[in-house]
Structures are given as structure tokens and as C-alpha cells.
């Protein structure tokens, strides 16, 4: 499976949420590290995993989804 990595700005354009909303309200409440986003090389930069986010938007988040992603 190909993975599309997106910055906060790119994700914002795609899902029509403000970048600030993504960072302050969605990240770590519905978008989880290791499932929906990664920090490459242990740095500060965040890259979102589009296919994971799209799947959860269409079908919802479940405990199974979260445990499989970790």
C-alpha cells in the first residue's frame, strides 16, 4: 500500500479544516501519533498519513484501528 505523507497545510486543504484546528483540537484527540501521523527521524515536523485519516473519516475510529496502528 502506498502512503501519502502530508503536512498540516496540505491536510488542511484536503479536509477543509483550519491548520490551527488540526494542531490544537484534532491532533492527539482524534488524530493519533503512530496511527494518523508520524514525526520523521524523531524531529518536530509532523507528517500526516492520508490513507489512515481517510479510512477513519469514512468508517470511524475503533479500538481495533488504534491497536493495529501502534
Amino acid at each position: 500500500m502506498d502512503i501519502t505523507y502530508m503536512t498540516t497545510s496540505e491536510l488542511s486543504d484536503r479536509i477543509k479544516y483550519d491548520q490551527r484546528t488540526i494542531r490544537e483540537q484534532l491532533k492527539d484527540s482524534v488524530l493519533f501519533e503512530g496511527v494518523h501521523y508520524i514525526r520523521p527521524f524523531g524531529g518536530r515536523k509532523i507528517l500526516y498519513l492520508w490513507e489512515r485519516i481517510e479510512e477513519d473519516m469514512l468508517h470511524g475510529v475503533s479500538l481495533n484501528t488504534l491497536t493495529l496502528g501502534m
Side-chain angles (χ1 to χ4, degrees):
M1 172 172 96
D2 290 334
I3 298 174
T4 305
Y5 298 100
M6 306 179 90
T7 64
T8 305
S9 175
E10 293 167 330
L11 181 62
S12 172
D13 290 341
R14 183 138 335 165
I15 67 172
K16 310 302 184 219
Y17 276 80
D18 187 80
Q19 291 181 47
R20 187 174 180 178
T21 301
I22 293 170
R23 283 192 306 270
E24 294 179 4
Q25 294 180 11
L26 299 180
K27 190 172 96 29
D28 298 326
S29 64
V30 296
L31 300 175
F32 300 102
E33 187 169 3
V35 177
H36 302 105
Y37 71 89
I38 60 169
R39 295 176 189 268
F41 313 110
R44 290 177 39 124
K45 183 160 189 81
I46 292 175
L47 292 176
Y48 291 92
L49 310 174
W50 171 245
E51 289 76 15
R52 289 279 181 94
I53 293 170
E54 182 180 43
E55 179 73 19
D56 286 350
M57 284 192 320
L58 295 173
H59 302 292
V61 178
S62 69
L63 183 57
N64 189 36
T65 303
L66 296 176
T67 57
L68 287 176
M70 295 183 173

